[in-house]
Amino acid sequence: MIDFMLNGQPCRSEASPETSVLELLRETLAVTGTKEGCASGDCGACTVAIGEPGPDGELRYHSANACITPAHQLNGRYLVTVDGLAQGDSLHPAQAAMVESHGSQCGFCTPGIVMSLFTLHEQQRQAPAPLTPQRLEAALGGNLCRCTGYRPIRDAALSMGTHPENRPLWLDAAAPRGNETGTDRLDPDAAFLQPTSLAELRDCLTQHPQARLVAGATDLWLEATQRLARFERVIDVTRVAELNVVEEATLDDGSSGWWIGAAVSYSRLEPLLEEHYDAFAHLLHRLGSSQIRNRGTLGGNVANASPIGDTPPVLLTLGSRLRLIGPEGERELALDDFFLDYKRTALREGEAIRAIFLPRPAEGQTLKVWKLSKRREDDISAVLGAFAWRLENGVMRDVRLAFGGMAAIPKRAANAEAALEGQAPDAAAFLAAREALAEDFQPMSDVRGSAEYRRLSAANLLERLRLVIAQAESDSPREVMLHAYAH
């Protein structure tokens, strides 16, 4: 049973474990303003807003793709759809701005755009800040429109603040939340389990070692929408308190950093990365839209063990570790030892990832991450390269190179690393590193790229790295020209 607030009204509904929010709205509740476009989290037509009370008790809303959000994750939450924004003939500022700016033609994508604008409007109301082009791109980057053109939609975003504040009264009402900690969330017969503590999670894993684990569902739910899969039992880790924290820590070897809980979303992680790892933070915007970053997690991306997952090569480059939890307690494991073969990891039966250790940048360390995909935004990698190093007395030290899309697993390029370690970053050293890639990888061909394309692309990313290092050391016109050409 799912208990939640829908557009200010208490709602209770039953659903099978693989039901999405979109299915629940349209097929069970007959709330049809939310539209299905791609059913894969790409187009944003199904965008809704999900609210949770913040530390001050005020609701904080985030945008989400209803097509790949598990309906059971609404338990105890506030759901706002386009159907609930207007008060009679009085439109919400997001709706009024879209009308005035002529931001809609066929209207199919419009509900999702309006809900992204609603979320932006709520953020502006709670924490006013300039609506920079970058902020607008982040807010609307997950909404595609085939016929209107984006200028009037952008105009609508900029003009929302000029419209009367016709927000539904229930948005500010202190309505009771649903059954977030009800007795059925851990019912042994329930198909969708929602533990709220590490102890409860361990019990669930022990009792149901074959259950599917879900956090953001940005990948798992594609099995339901694209392959029509049915899930016998699902364990939702998003309510586990210990999996939702970021803790500073120092390991036994003296290295310091942060343990990132496996249920921490990309959006929550962004400020930390922006402060310490610029290149990693930038990658998150290539990884997916706001709707995806609001739901997806670092833990899920690692556990998914896809050879083309975006974050594992970066974490391998940084020397990350994992903290695992299972029936026998906890253990730690270097990420280098986690990926065994295609979609096969070192997780034992009944184990799950508790946290990922992100080391603090070493003195003088530089990180570069480059992703190659058919679309620049919101697309899966064909090849991703992550590179970390230090320059010490003119030679490269602590060189770590990792690639996605080049093998059955995300993998470091050990031979290429050895070719660069202790060498000056010159053409000869990088030629040796590029040649060594043939010993590190034998890539396969698939719909995203041929084996030859991948070999050439990986080698070219190393050459790009050489040019970037050279450009940083020299301001000569030739190096600047080569650097611009590499981009």
Side-chain angles (χ1 to χ4, degrees):
M1 191 65 66
I2 311 169
D3 288 299
F4 64 104
M5 301 295 293
L6 172 59
N7 294 328
Q9 298 298 316
C11 187
R12 165 172 273 216
S13 182
E14 291 186 355
S16 60
E18 68 280 346
T19 301
S20 69
V21 169
L22 182 64
E23 287 179 291
L24 183 71
L25 286 171
R26 295 186 61 84
E27 298 179 16
T28 302
L29 303 176
V31 178
T32 56
T34 306
K35 301 297 189 285
E36 178 180 296
C38 63
S40 58
D42 287 330
C43 73
C46 68
T47 301
V48 295
I50 299 175
E52 302 175 43
D56 56 359
E58 189 173 13
L59 285 179
R60 298 285 190 272
Y61 288 98
H62 69 264
S63 58
N65 292 306
C67 67
I68 56 171
T69 298
H72 284 268
Q73 289 188 339
L74 292 177
N75 210 27
R77 301 295 186 245
Y78 296 75
L79 177 64
V80 181
T81 74
V82 70
D83 314 77
L85 294 187
Q87 301 180 85
D89 293 333
S90 299
L91 299 180
H92 184 277
Q95 296 170 307
M98 283 286 283
V99 171
E100 184 179 88
S101 300
H102 305 286
S104 175
Q105 284 189 31
C106 79
F108 196 86
C109 63
T110 304
I113 294 170
V114 167
M115 292 312 300
S116 289
L117 291 177
F118 163 80
T119 307
L120 179 63
H121 185 269
E122 286 297 296
Q123 292 170 352
Q124 280 293 90
R125 186 183 65 84
Q126 293 171 334
L131 290 176
T132 62
Q134 293 79 9
R135 191 159 177 229
L136 290 179
E137 180 181 340
L140 292 165
N143 294 92
L144 303 182
C145 180
R146 290 163 59 101
C147 54
T148 302
Y150 296 104
R151 185 191 56 77
I153 297 170
R154 180 179 179 276
D155 291 344
L158 291 170
S159 66
M160 281 192 298
T162 66
H163 290 270
E165 189 70 5
N166 292 323
R167 298 171 65 252
L169 297 178
W170 51 261
L171 280 174
D172 297 317
R177 282 190 292 165
N179 180 30
E180 183 175 5
T181 58
T183 56
D184 60 342
R185 66 184 177 82
L186 292 178
D187 186 328
D189 296 324
F192 199 97
L193 302 171
Q194 290 185 306
T196 60
S197 70
L198 213 53
E200 290 181 351
L201 174 59
R202 186 184 290 112
D203 289 343
C204 289
L205 292 170
T206 301
Q207 295 171 26
H208 308 289
Q210 302 305 317
R212 305 298 296 272
L213 269 65
V214 67
T218 56
D219 189 81
L220 177 62
W221 241 243
L222 297 181
E223 293 185 24
T225 62
Q226 307 297 303
R227 302 177 189 173
L228 305 181
R230 294 293 177 260
F231 304 139
E232 181 179 345
R233 183 168 278 104
V234 175
I235 299 174
D236 175 16
V237 303
T238 60
R239 308 296 174 97
V240 179
E242 296 91 335
L243 269 59
N244 279 284
V245 296
V246 177
E247 298 178 306
E248 285 197 62
T250 301
L251 301 185
D252 292 340
D253 63 5
S255 58
S256 64
W258 304 267
W259 282 108
I260 312 297
V264 172
S265 69
Y266 293 125
S267 293
R268 282 189 56 203
L269 189 56
E270 276 185 74
L272 178 67
L273 296 183
E274 286 170 353
E275 181 179 356
H276 297 283
Y277 286 112
D278 230 16
F280 201 171
H282 178 72
L283 174 66
L284 294 188
H285 288 261
R286 294 286 311 277
L287 179 148
S289 63
S290 289
Q291 290 94 321
I292 296 296
R293 299 196 301 275
N294 289 337
R295 306 292 301 172
T297 66
L298 196 63
N301 204 226
V302 172
N304 191 37
S306 170
I308 49 176
D310 284 345
T311 65
V314 186
L315 296 171
L316 285 169
T317 299
L318 298 177
S320 291
R321 297 185 61 81
L322 301 178
R323 183 175 286 168
L324 310 178
I325 179 175
E328 299 177 2
E330 294 189 13
R331 65 186 178 109
E332 288 186 19
L333 183 71
L335 187 61
D336 293 85
D337 301 323
F338 182 70
F339 303 107
L340 304 180
D341 204 344
Y342 179 73
K343 289 282 189 173
R344 192 165 68 86
T345 71
L347 282 173
R348 299 168 183 163
E349 186 175 86
E351 276 192 326
I353 297 175
R354 174 180 175 176
I356 301 98
F357 184 73
L358 179 70
R360 189 180 295 274
E363 184 71 29
Q365 182 187 50
T366 302
L367 173 70
K368 293 293 181 184
V369 184
W370 293 310
K371 171 177 175 173
L372 303 180
S373 55
K374 290 184 178 181
R375 293 193 309 263
R376 175 164 179 81
E377 307 295 343
D378 197 19
D379 199 6
I380 296 171
S381 297
V383 176
L384 185 143
F387 316 108
W389 76 96
R390 292 186 303 108
L391 277 179
E392 183 180 283
N393 298 322
V395 300
M396 299 183 73
R397 297 292 185 192
D398 301 327
V399 179
R400 295 176 70 97
L401 318 171
F403 287 89
M406 292 292 289
I409 59 174
K411 183 182 171 187
R412 285 174 57 189
N415 290 290
E417 288 177 354
L420 292 175
E421 184 67 36
Q423 302 296 315
D426 55 26
F430 273 88
L431 174 60
R434 293 198 302 274
E435 291 175 345
L437 284 177
E439 303 174 51
D440 289 315
F441 301 107
Q442 293 78 46
M444 63 176 286
S445 296
D446 60 20
V447 294
R448 293 186 180 84
S450 66
E452 180 55 31
Y453 168 81
R454 288 186 159 104
R455 277 191 289 267
L456 181 61
S457 296
N460 285 348
L461 288 179
L462 283 183
E463 178 63 5
R464 180 179 185 175
L465 178 60
R466 183 187 73 81
L467 294 171
V468 166
I469 295 174
Q471 194 270 334
E473 293 184 312
S474 170
D475 291 326
S476 71
R478 180 172 183 274
E479 290 292 354
V480 171
M481 179 187 71
L482 287 172
H483 178 58
Y485 179 73
H487 280 68

